[in-house]
Amino acid sequence: MLALRLARGSHPVVLLRRLCVAAAAAGTGFLLLSTVGHAAGHPAAADESLVRLLWCAAPLAATAQFAVSTARTDPAARPQRGMTAAGLGPLRLTLLATASTALTCLFGAVLALVVFFRLRGDLGGSAGASFGSFGIGSDQLGAGHPLPLAGALMLLALVPLTAAAATAVALRPHDETGAPETEPLPRTAPPSGLPWGIAVAAAGLAIEAYAGPATAPHGGLLPLPGRLVGSPPGVLAGWALSVFGLVLAGSGLVHLCGRLLCTGRPGALRLLSGRVLQEESHRLGRPLGVLCAVAAAGYAAAKIYDASPARPFGPLTVIGAAVVLACVTASALTAAVESRAARARTTAALRRLGASASVLRGAAALRVLSLVIVMAPLTWTVAEMATLPLTR
């Protein structure tokens, strides 16, 4: 009840973020329900239904990451004066943020359930007309076949449960004083994560290359030409390792950008930009690493479809790709906003010392440019290497 009251009294920007999380949860929930519908309509194609379910892990993870980043920037999850006296200590604030995330994702899941039943024709009306409006074939959701409601609800519950669990782990109190993990992260330099991340990404690419080319089923969430049906664990493991490698190397790459800006005899602009990147590498590294990984996967998918145009993108593929791309982009932007809020005192001190607004904007533009120069070629290289064993 307290979570609902705080949600009603939140700032419009906070409400907009929560609505975006609910929309992402609705998209992911619809994809999960579509796997149940496909399994109900095609009982003999259990392997294809399993592949569809496995590909739902990507939008599910992206939705959980977006929910965590939204909860971290929620003012209700931060300790305020008088909250401890009112009984809202760090642990209860974490539980409150977890409950808010669960309720937001539950709202999205219920919306997905209503839309799913409406498209199947279970809520009245013609299923064919509904499918024609959205471009979804009637066989993809199992229209006209009985749906295991208990199994569908259990699978749909993965969305709020995963997001809530990820929020509880990310915002848990982690020190003896009980301060939650919404404070600035440690300021030590991460160069050690960079070689490990590159090694893990290389191992993932090697595993994917070992899988070799084949043909994926039509209508899957991401029907890439690759040995997806013959050995989906191998391809999925390769992609997962590549993504994890880029995420692991993200903090090191951001710190490396800051080091490069500070090399030689930097001026005030380069020094300010480099120091900020080194300071915020822990906060910005992982969301940017995930964004680079998704961009590499999207580029690889587009290139593979160009090489095999006979199999067009299906509507479920578009929904899954849109959910993942929107979530990781919003998470990166949220991390940037959080970083800016953490530097509010430093920025105010620089303004008092005489730094103009144009200098601060120039430093921000230089940071963005350095990140693009370092991460864009790496993302393109990983995407090109990922497509080699699938397009030959």
Side-chain angles (χ1 to χ4, degrees):
M1 185 62 66
L2 180 58
L4 289 175
R5 291 182 178 179
L6 289 176
R8 290 176 55 189
S10 298
H11 193 272
V13 176
V14 178
L15 290 177
L16 179 61
R17 292 174 183 170
R18 290 177 177 173
L19 287 177
C20 292
V21 173
T28 304
F30 183 81
L31 293 176
L32 289 171
L33 290 173
S34 69
T35 63
V36 180
H38 184 271
H42 304 80
D47 292 341
E48 184 177 349
S49 299
L50 178 61
V51 170
R52 289 168 175 261
L53 182 60
L54 290 177
W55 278 115
C56 288
L60 181 61
T63 301
Q65 184 206 13
F66 182 35
V68 169
S69 63
T70 301
R72 287 179 64 91
T73 57
D74 194 342
R78 300 176 181 176
Q80 305 289 340
R81 291 183 178 180
M83 282 190 172
T84 304
L88 291 176
L91 180 59
R92 291 199 174 185
L93 285 177
T94 301
L95 295 177
L96 181 63
T98 302
S100 299
T101 301
L103 288 175
T104 302
C105 293
L106 182 61
F107 173 74
V110 172
L111 180 62
L113 188 65
V114 173
V115 173
F116 178 75
F117 282 153
R118 179 67 180 86
L119 291 179
R120 278 174 48 91
D122 296 335
L123 298 181
S126 175
S130 301
F131 285 121
S133 302
F134 289 86
I136 302 177
S138 59
D139 60 332
Q140 297 185 14
L141 302 184
H145 298 274
L147 189 73
L149 185 58
L153 294 179
M154 290 180 61
L155 196 60
L156 188 62
L158 286 177
V159 181
L161 290 179
T162 303
T167 302
V169 171
L171 302 184
R172 71 190 186 280
H174 65 287
D175 58 9
E176 295 180 357
T177 61
E181 199 177 341
T182 54
E183 300 295 326
L185 294 172
R187 301 179 179 179
T188 56
S192 60
L194 186 57
W196 279 107
I198 293 176
V200 172
L205 293 174
I207 293 176
E208 186 181 358
Y210 178 76
T215 303
H218 177 66
L221 291 180
L222 192 58
L224 297 177
R227 201 170 289 173
L228 192 58
V229 181
S231 59
V235 175
L236 290 179
W239 278 62
L241 282 178
S242 300
V243 170
F244 180 70
L246 286 177
V247 174
L248 186 62
S251 298
L253 289 173
V254 175
H255 194 272
L256 177 62
C257 292
R259 291 288 297 272
L260 292 176
L261 286 176
C262 294
T263 54
R265 302 181 64 180
L269 195 63
R270 284 175 53 196
L271 185 62
L272 177 61
S273 301
R275 291 300 185 187
V276 169
L277 286 180
Q278 294 179 59
E279 189 83 6
E280 299 295 327
S281 59
H282 287 282
R283 195 189 309 273
L284 299 175
R286 290 184 180 179
L288 286 179
V290 174
L291 182 60
C292 291
V294 172
Y299 176 82
K303 186 175 180 180
I304 290 170
Y305 273 102
D306 288 340
S308 179
R311 200 174 296 278
F313 285 104
L316 298 180
T317 305
V318 174
I319 294 175
V323 169
V324 173
L325 183 60
C327 287
V328 299
T329 304
S331 298
L333 293 177
T334 303
V337 172
E338 185 182 5
S339 175
R340 180 181 180 182
R343 301 193 314 270
R345 293 183 179 179
T346 304
T347 303
L350 290 174
R351 295 297 298 270
R352 289 194 301 268
L353 292 175
S356 62
S358 60
V359 171
L360 297 178
R361 288 195 296 266
L366 185 58
R367 291 194 297 270
V368 174
L369 180 62
S370 63
L371 289 174
V372 171
I373 291 176
V374 171
M375 292 191 166
L378 178 63
T379 302
W380 179 82
T381 302
V382 171
E384 285 290 334
M385 294 180 65
T387 58
L388 287 178
L390 300 178
T391 57
R392 63 189 179 187

